[in-house]
Amino acid sequence: MVSIKSEREINSMRKAGAAVGQILDEMCQMVKPGITTWDLDRYAESRCKDLKVVPAFKGYHGFPACVCISVNDEVVHGIPSRKKVLNEGDIVGLDFGVSIDGWYGDSARTVPVGKVSDEAQKLIQVTRESLYRGIEQCREGNRVFDIGYAVQNFVEQHGYGVVREFVGHGIGKALHEDPQVPNYGSKGKGLALKVGMVLAIEPMINVGGPAVKVLSDGWTAVTVDRSLSAHFEHTVAITQTGPEILTVF
Ligand code: MG
Ligand code: MG
């Protein structure tokens, strides 16, 4: 079942999305060599308290932190740690969500730590652009695989691998709702998109092959070939006038 949100419900999701965007903006400003992923997570939790919003990931299926923080060849679901220090040249993915009055927002960005290689910079740019290509397809009359087609067609032109094991999703009263939104697929296939659907679009893109595996901590997904990976995500409402990004401050 894919839920259709009323204008009033989407307005509640705008509030959650704005808090996600604000805290992510602040965390991105903090990223620099020497900071630990633990520091970033502690900051996000304290800001949730300030803004009176509920961190969405803490305790979700047992996840132990507020932010999924994934460095270099880590794709998604990295666990913040006091031992994990960010170094010049790393790239770091911050995936964060909150709820307000039971309505969710979910967003992710990958940012450079200090000066990074040209390869890392290009991966970040291409992955960010692929998100916007996907978002552009979030219109009534299109189908769900139009989103994945747009992402895949763009990133594969650069020789990059599109992760298959993790996908975007509907979002609303739950963090993960139907439908699944893969970052690959054939134009014109799948569920017909309608005004009032809200989707989290989230390409996960590798410099090398698409294959990923989960480490023994049960969470952290890494590229099998150890190549760099980037992740961008926005929560997007399909409106009468086209896509509206909710996770912005
Ligand atoms: Mg997310
Ligand atoms: Mg998500």
Side-chain angles (χ1 to χ4, degrees), residues 125-141:
Q125 283 165 1
V126 168
T127 306
R128 186 197 295 113
E129 173 67 19
S130 77
L131 169 62
Y132 289 97
R133 302 249 175 153
I135 289 171
E136 183 53 32
Q137 298 301 314
C138 294
R139 297 174 181 279
E140 179 152 304

Side-chain angles (χ1 to χ4, degrees), residues 28-97:
C28 288
Q29 295 288 322
M30 292 172 71
V31 167
K32 60 178 185 299
I35 197 168
T36 70
T37 59
W38 179 265
D39 296 330
L40 292 165
D41 186 72
R42 293 298 80 211
Y43 179 79
E45 184 154 20
S46 76
R47 293 296 284 141
C48 286
K49 289 202 179 86
D50 296 342
L51 299 175
K52 297 183 171 55
V53 303
V54 180
F57 300 170
K58 196 162 194 176
Y60 187 82
H61 293 287
F63 189 75
C66 295
V67 192
C68 294
I69 307 184
S70 307
V71 181
N72 294 335
D73 63 344
E74 296 173 352
V75 178
V76 285
H77 304 161
I79 301 174
S81 165
R82 288 185 180 86
K83 292 184 192 143
K84 194 128 195 178
V85 180
L86 297 181
N87 294 307
E88 179 98 16
D90 288 342
I91 60 171
V92 58
L94 304 170
D95 187 358
F96 180 63

Side-chain angles (χ1 to χ4, degrees), residues 203-223:
M204 290 149 267
I205 306 300
N206 306 338
V207 165
V212 302
K213 64 179 179 186
V214 175
L215 298 183
S216 59
D217 64 16
W219 283 103
T220 312
V222 300
T223 56

